[in-house]
Amino acid sequence: MRVEVVLRYVGVVMLFMALFMLISAGISYVSGVDSAFYPLLLSSLLTALLGAFPLIFVGRCEQITNKEGFCIVVGAWLVACVVSMFPYLIWGGEFTLVNAWFESVSGLTTTGSTVLNDVEALPRGLQFWRFATTWIGGMGVVMFALVVLPSMGRSKMMLSNVELSSMARDNYRYRSQITLQILLVVYVGLTVLSTVLLKMAGMNWFDALCHAMSACATSGFSTKNASVAYFNSPAIDTILIFTMAAAGIHFGLIYATVTGKRNNIFRSEVTRWYLGILLVGGLLIAISLYAADLYPTLSASFRHGMFQFVSVVSTSGFATADSNTWTPFAVIILIFGSIVCACAGSTAGGIKVNRMVLAGKMMSARLKLQQHPNAVIRIRLDGVIQDNEVLHSVMIYIVAYLMFLLLGTIAGALFGVDLTTSFTGSVASMGNVGPGFGEVGSMDNWSAMPSAFKMTNTLLMLLGRLEIFGLIQIFLIKWWR
C-alpha cells in the first residue's frame, strides 16, 4: 500500500474542510467580526496548510487499489473529525479537548448530540460551523469532496464504491460520476427547498438555513437550546416532518421520482415499509399520549408524537417536547424507531429498514422450510432475488450492531451512568440519532456525562456512520491481501 497516495487524497479532503471553515469565518465577518472570526480563520489556514503539504510532494495518481481506497475513506473521516475540533478548541468556552472531540464527531456523523449547555451563546460564525460539519457529514466527507473537487480521475469510482454501502448502491443505475451528481442535486435541492419553506413559516434566514441543513443531514443540531420547541409553530413542525422523512429515503429513488423514472419511490417496497412505520408509529404514540391525558387534544398529541417519531426514525433528533415525560409505551416505540431507523442510501444511520425487511423475510422463509423441507424459497427485495452472500451479511450486521449496543451499555454502567441513560445513549449514538432518555433526553445534553462515556459513545457514532466493519477493518489492514 502506498501511504503517500493515501495522504494525498486525505489532504484533498482537508482542503475541502478548510474551505467550509473559511465560509464560516465569512459568516463571522458579516456578523460584525464576532469572537469566532479569528478562531475560524486560523483553523482554516492551519487545516489548509496540513492538507496542501502532501499535495506538494506527492504526484497525482490515476488508479488506486482497494486497500488504498478503503484507507483514504476511513482516514478522511477520522482526520476530518480531528481538524473539525480546531475552531472549538481555539474559541474555548465550554470546549475542553473531550468536549470538542465529542461535538466534532457528533456533527460529522450527523448524530446531533451536544455537550453545550447554552447553544445560543455561541457566536454566529461558530454556530454555522457546527451546521457545516453536520451538512458535510450527511452526504459523506469523501462523497462531498469527490463532487466538489474535480480532477481525481478514475479514483472517483473506487472511492465512491467504498463510501457507499452495497445496499445504498442498489438503487443507483448510473456511472459513478452521475451517482455523485445525483446525490449532490437531491441533497442541495432538498436543503434549499426546506430553507425557503422554513423562512416562509416564520424563521429568520439564518435559523431557516441552519435547521434545513440539519434536517437534510438528519442531524438534529439546532440554533436554540430548546430545539424546535422554541418556535412552537405547527407550520415549522410540518415542514421539518416532511424534510426529515424525505431525507430518510434513498436519494436515488427521490431523483428517479422527480425525473419521472420507472424505478421510483412509489414502486419501492422498502420505502413503503419505511413510510408505513412512520405513520403507524406516530399514530400509536399519539394515541398513547392522548389516552394518558398528556395533551389536551388528539391533534396536539398527533403533532408531537409524529414529529418525535419521524425525528428519531430519520435519525434527525430534533425535539418539540420532553419525551422523558411520555408514557412507557411511547418510549418503547421511540427506542424501536431509534434502532431500526430509515433507508439505505439516505443520510440516516441505524440498522436501516432494508435490513429489517430482509431479516423478516428470512425468518418467514425459515418457518416455511421447517414445514416444507424440500421447498426452494427465493427471497426478493423490490423484486430482486437476494443471493445468500447478501442475506448472510445482513444477519451478521444486525448481530454485530446489537453486540456493540450491549458493549456500549456495559461501558456506560462501568463509568457510573444509570442503565436507562447508558442503554438509550448507546442506541442514540450507534444509530446517529442524538437524543436518548434519562440524562440524555430530548431536552438535555451530554455535558454532565463522564468523559470516558463521551469517548466510548463517539466510537459508537463512528461505528454506526461507517457501518461497523468499515471502521473495524482499518485495524486489520495489515492482514489484507
Side-chain angles (χ1 to χ4, degrees):
M1 184 179 70
R2 297 166 295 177
V3 177
E4 67 276 8
V5 173
V6 175
L7 292 176
R8 173 182 172 83
Y9 287 112
V10 171
V12 171
V13 172
M14 292 177 71
L15 290 177
F16 177 72
M17 299 297 292
L19 174 63
F20 270 82
M21 289 179 188
L22 191 60
I23 294 172
S24 301
I27 299 292
S28 284
Y29 184 82
V30 172
S31 302
V33 190
D34 61 34
S35 60
F37 176 73
Y38 290 108
L40 285 165
L41 186 61
L42 181 59
S43 299
S44 177
L45 293 174
L46 179 59
T47 304
L49 180 63
L50 293 173
F53 188 75
L55 296 179
I56 297 172
F57 297 100
V58 181
R60 179 180 168 184
C61 180
E62 286 292 338
Q63 291 185 332
I64 58 177
T65 65
N66 186 49
K67 184 189 290 191
E68 290 166 351
F70 176 82
C71 288
I72 289 168
V73 170
V74 177
W77 271 98
L78 295 177
V79 169
C81 289
V82 171
V83 299
S84 294
M85 297 167 59
F86 293 169
Y88 301 139
L89 289 173
I90 297 173
W91 186 76
E94 295 184 65
F95 292 113
T96 62
L97 182 62
V98 171
N99 283 354
W101 170 253
F102 186 93
E103 200 78 9
S104 173
V105 175
S106 179
L108 282 167
T109 58
T110 73
T111 304
S113 300
T114 185
V115 292
L116 298 173
N117 288 299
D118 190 0
V119 173
E120 296 173 37
L122 293 181
R124 182 159 286 193
L126 203 61
Q127 282 269 30
F128 185 80
W129 172 241
R130 290 177 75 238
F131 290 94
T133 59
T134 205
W135 198 63
I136 294 167
M139 185 169 166
V141 171
V142 176
M143 297 292 282
F144 235 128
L146 292 180
V147 173
V148 178
L149 297 176
S151 74
M152 294 184 74
R154 284 173 286 182
S155 301
K156 283 189 175 183
M157 181 173 292
M158 172 66 72
L159 294 179
S160 63
N161 285 342
V162 176
E163 176 89 335
L164 279 172
S165 69
S166 58
M167 284 197 157
R169 291 195 296 270
D170 283 347
N171 287 105
Y172 288 114
R173 301 291 184 264
Y174 310 96
R175 290 180 291 108
S176 178
Q177 180 60 26
I178 303 300
T179 297
L180 297 174
Q181 292 173 1
I182 289 170
L183 281 169
L184 186 63
V185 167
V186 174
Y187 198 50
V188 174
L190 188 60
T191 303
V192 171
L193 176 62
S194 180
T195 300
V196 173
L197 291 176
L198 289 172
K199 177 63 174 70
M200 293 172 62
M203 286 188 180
N204 61 48
W205 278 114
F206 183 77
D207 285 343
L209 175 60
C210 289
H211 283 85
M213 292 169 70
S214 187
C216 292
T218 62
S219 165
F221 274 165
S222 176
T223 57
K224 307 299 180 184
N225 294 326
S227 190
V228 180
Y230 170 89
F231 301 99
N232 192 26
S233 167
I236 289 174
D237 292 354
T238 303
I239 293 166
L240 287 175
I241 286 173
F242 165 78
T243 305
M244 293 185 295
I249 298 173
H250 194 294
F251 279 13
L253 290 176
I254 295 176
Y255 178 82
T257 304
V258 172
T259 54
K261 298 289 192 298
R262 186 172 180 271
N263 184 34
N264 55 43
I265 289 173
F266 306 104
R267 300 176 64 89
S268 169
E269 178 184 5
V270 173
T271 306
R272 288 197 298 271
W273 272 102
Y274 167 62
L275 296 177
I277 289 171
L278 291 182
L279 183 59
V280 172
L283 283 172
L284 289 175
I285 291 174
I287 292 171
S288 174
L289 298 179
Y290 183 67
D293 203 26
L294 291 177
Y295 295 97
T297 64
L298 185 59
S299 61
S301 300
F302 181 77
R303 170 190 162 192
H304 292 290
M306 180 60 72
F307 184 96
Q308 209 77 0
F309 190 65
V310 172
S311 180
V312 299
V313 173
S314 66
T315 73
S316 297
F318 285 126
T320 58
D322 185 359
S323 52
N324 268 329
T325 64
W326 286 5
T327 63
F329 178 78
V331 169
I332 289 295
I333 297 295
L334 288 171
I335 292 175
F336 167 78
S338 299
I339 294 174
V340 175
C341 301
C343 309
S346 69
T347 57
I351 291 177
K352 296 188 175 65
V353 173
N354 309 58
R355 292 189 180 95
M356 296 303 293
V357 171
L358 282 175
K361 291 187 175 187
M362 291 168 69
M363 287 189 285
S364 175
R366 183 60 188 168
L367 290 173
K368 291 177 182 177
L369 280 172
Q370 287 190 325
Q371 298 169 3
H372 309 285
N374 297 323
V376 177
I377 301 174
R378 302 294 186 188
I379 295 177
R380 300 172 183 267
L381 186 67
D382 285 330
V384 178
I385 296 176
Q386 305 295 308
D387 58 39
N388 288 333
E389 183 180 351
V390 171
L391 299 177
H392 180 71
S393 66
V394 165
M395 295 311 297
I396 290 294
Y397 184 87
I398 292 175
V399 170
Y401 193 96
L402 297 177
M403 181 187 73
F404 277 107
L405 286 185
L406 176 61
L407 291 175
T409 304
I410 293 172
L414 286 174
F415 301 139
V417 179
D418 68 89
L419 191 59
T420 298
T421 301
S422 182
F423 173 65
T424 60
S426 298
V427 168
S429 296
M430 190 75 182
N432 305 137
V433 175
F437 292 91
E439 294 183 55
V440 292
S442 55
M443 290 297 170
D444 298 299
N445 59 66
W446 288 66
S447 61
M449 294 296 101
S451 295
F453 187 55
K454 293 175 186 175
M455 294 301 291
T456 56
N457 276 270
T458 57
L459 177 59
L460 292 179
M461 293 175 196
L462 287 167
L463 283 167
R465 188 63 180 85
L466 295 172
E467 300 215 324
I468 300 176
F469 299 106
L471 183 61
I472 290 176
Q473 287 189 87
I474 197 69
F475 301 105
L476 308 173
I477 199 73
K478 69 176 182 180
W479 288 292
W480 279 34
R481 292 184 181 273

